[in-house]
Amino acid sequence: SVLPGRPTYAVGAVTGPPSTPATTAPSNPATPTTSPAAPVQTPSRIVTDLVAARARAWNQEDPQLLALALAPNSPADKADRAALHSARQQGVDYQGLSFVPGQVSVTARDADRMTVVVPIRRSDYVVTVAASTRSQPADSRRVTLHLVKVGDHWRIHSWT
């Protein structure tokens, strides 16, 4: 599958949460200054960052990195943690996995929730189990992502 958890051993470089630009003290305290605006988090940028974070977690086989992509205790989080745990127990290694989203269409949005429809291309990648290595071909699917705010950051709650 392109996004859904439980890879059939056939399963994205994280930028992580956006950083805020540093502010500098005014050279003349009597002159008011404004700090630079934080980068605008468009739905496209949000989705790109989230799917890249998810791929990084799989490539590094690090369930802690899933927190940069998935809402805690969400259906997506539970599925990916279980699948990643199973893969780690079986000694499965993923290399070169990435997800590249296409045009993001927002179908619903409020302050804490957003639903988007997006085609996602999963790269080809290599799966190694014990001494056996095989390549998985690239795949593309149209996915509906249900995003939620966790603190100040968007995370994937579920997908269909």
Side-chain angles (χ1 to χ4, degrees):
S1 68
V2 172
L3 269 182
R6 206 109 182 101
T8 49
Y9 303 121
V11 176
V14 169
T15 59
S19 59
T20 354
T23 58
T24 55
S27 57
N28 179 351
T31 307
T33 61
T34 57
S35 62
V40 174
Q41 287 294 292
T42 64
S44 180
R45 178 83 261 155
I46 292 164
V47 169
T48 297
D49 290 349
L50 292 174
V51 298
R54 183 171 178 261
R56 182 171 151 196
W58 278 96
N59 283 320
Q60 294 183 15
E61 298 180 32
D62 186 346
Q64 300 304 327
L65 292 176
L66 290 173
L68 296 173
L70 309 175
N73 298 311
S74 66
D77 184 56
K78 290 176 183 176
D80 259 19
R81 284 185 187 281
L84 187 55
H85 177 75
S86 175
R88 290 176 74 190
Q89 282 189 318
Q90 296 176 39
V92 179
D93 181 47
Y94 299 90
Q95 298 170 4
L97 175 66
S98 67
F99 299 115
V100 178
Q103 176 84 30
V104 175
S105 298
V106 177
T107 59
R109 185 173 187 168
D110 64 26
D112 297 322
R113 296 187 177 278
M114 180 172 24
T115 301
V116 300
V117 176
V118 57
I120 296 181
R121 181 183 183 282
R122 187 200 64 219
S123 67
D124 55 344
Y125 60 100
V126 175
V127 179
T128 303
V129 183
S132 173
T133 299
R134 64 180 188 237
S135 294
Q136 296 296 324
D139 188 17
S140 292
R141 301 243 171 99
R142 189 167 197 77
V143 179
T144 300
L145 295 176
H146 303 279
L147 309 178
V148 295
K149 275 282 186 93
V150 176
D152 291 334
H153 305 287
W154 289 100
R155 296 294 183 253
I156 299 169
H157 177 267
S158 59
W159 53 73
T160 52

